[in-house]
Amino acid sequence: MKLTPPDLEKIANVTLEHYDQHAEDFWQGTKDHDVSQNIEALLKYIEGKPPFTILDFGCGPGRDLKTFSERGHVAIGLEGSARLAEMARAYSGCEVWEQDFLKLDLPANRFDGVFANAALFHVPSQELPRVLRELRATLKPGGVLFSSNPRGENEEV
């Protein structure tokens, strides 16, 4: 079943509303997650010498954004939830772009790496190829996209 633009907008709105309403609970539930192996997996494959410019795609309240910054990288967050974006700016001190994952406006060839840790599962499968192309276009030549997804039952939306 192909989702229509109004269907996609409704899905995005419901998701973002949920994160806006539960931002503090989300932070409390994820702030101590150790994703160092994911961060290392991204950084070890980026060509060139650090510091790197990293886009933390779906940065949430800024846990990983702050880690990249503390390690000396130029870290920019991208978050759809207004509340989480606000929290990420306050916690990390980094620039955070508030953008819906389905309506990205990304600069070409800007980032050495894109860190999409437990974020792309929010993109409906029919839109995933387009979003991945947009993420690829924002990477510099030799840039790396890291993606991970939480475990699930192969459900969508």
Side-chain angles (χ1 to χ4, degrees), residues 81-157:
S81 159
R83 179 69 184 114
L84 290 177
E86 176 185 313
M87 292 169 73
R89 285 183 199 102
Y91 181 70
S92 71
C94 294
E95 182 178 355
V96 177
W97 301 341
E98 191 179 325
Q99 293 186 26
D100 181 326
F101 292 178
L102 300 179
K103 298 175 185 172
L104 296 172
D105 182 18
L106 301 171
N109 300 311
R110 169 84 181 268
F111 297 97
D112 298 296
V114 173
F115 188 66
N117 191 64
L120 286 172
F121 74 97
H122 287 300
V123 176
S125 60
Q126 79 180 38
E127 299 301 306
L128 193 56
R130 176 183 58 80
V131 170
L132 288 171
R133 282 191 302 274
E134 292 174 9
L135 293 175
R136 174 63 187 103
T138 202
L139 286 168
K140 295 175 184 175
V144 175
L145 166 66
F146 174 89
S147 176
S148 69
N149 286 306
R151 293 183 187 179
E153 300 299 320
N154 203 28
E155 62 266 275
E156 185 166 353
V157 189

Side-chain angles (χ1 to χ4, degrees), residues 4-152:
T4 65
D7 294 333
L8 293 168
E9 188 164 339
K10 181 179 179 185
I11 290 165
N13 289 341
V14 167
T15 300
L16 295 174
E17 201 171 287
H18 171 82
Y19 279 106
D20 281 341
Q21 291 175 359
H22 298 90
E24 189 58 40
D25 291 337
F26 182 76
W27 173 240
Q28 292 304 318
T30 61
K31 70 179 180 179
D32 295 324
H33 285 184
D34 179 7
V35 296
S36 57
Q37 68 185 24
N38 295 353
I39 289 170
E40 292 307 320
L42 169 71
L43 295 176
K44 85 179 202 179
Y45 289 105
I46 297 176
E47 297 175 2
K49 291 187 175 205
F52 300 122
T53 303
I54 307 291
L55 178 66
D56 187 351
F57 183 83
C59 68
R63 178 196 65 216
D64 305 332
L65 194 57
K66 185 173 184 176
T67 298
F68 284 119
S69 181
E70 287 175 342
R71 291 182 67 170
H73 302 290
V74 177
I76 297 174
L78 186 143
E79 177 54 53
S81 159
R83 179 69 184 114
L84 290 177
E86 176 185 313
M87 292 169 73
R89 285 183 199 102
Y91 181 70
S92 71
C94 294
E95 182 178 355
V96 177
W97 301 341
E98 191 179 325
Q99 293 186 26
D100 181 326
F101 292 178
L102 300 179
K103 298 175 185 172
L104 296 172
D105 182 18
L106 301 171
N109 300 311
R110 169 84 181 268
F111 297 97
D112 298 296
V114 173
F115 188 66
N117 191 64
L120 286 172
F121 74 97
H122 287 300
V123 176
S125 60
Q126 79 180 38
E127 299 301 306
L128 193 56
R130 176 183 58 80
V131 170
L132 288 171
R133 282 191 302 274
E134 292 174 9
L135 293 175
R136 174 63 187 103
T138 202
L139 286 168
K140 295 175 184 175
V144 175
L145 166 66
F146 174 89
S147 176
S148 69
N149 286 306
R151 293 183 187 179

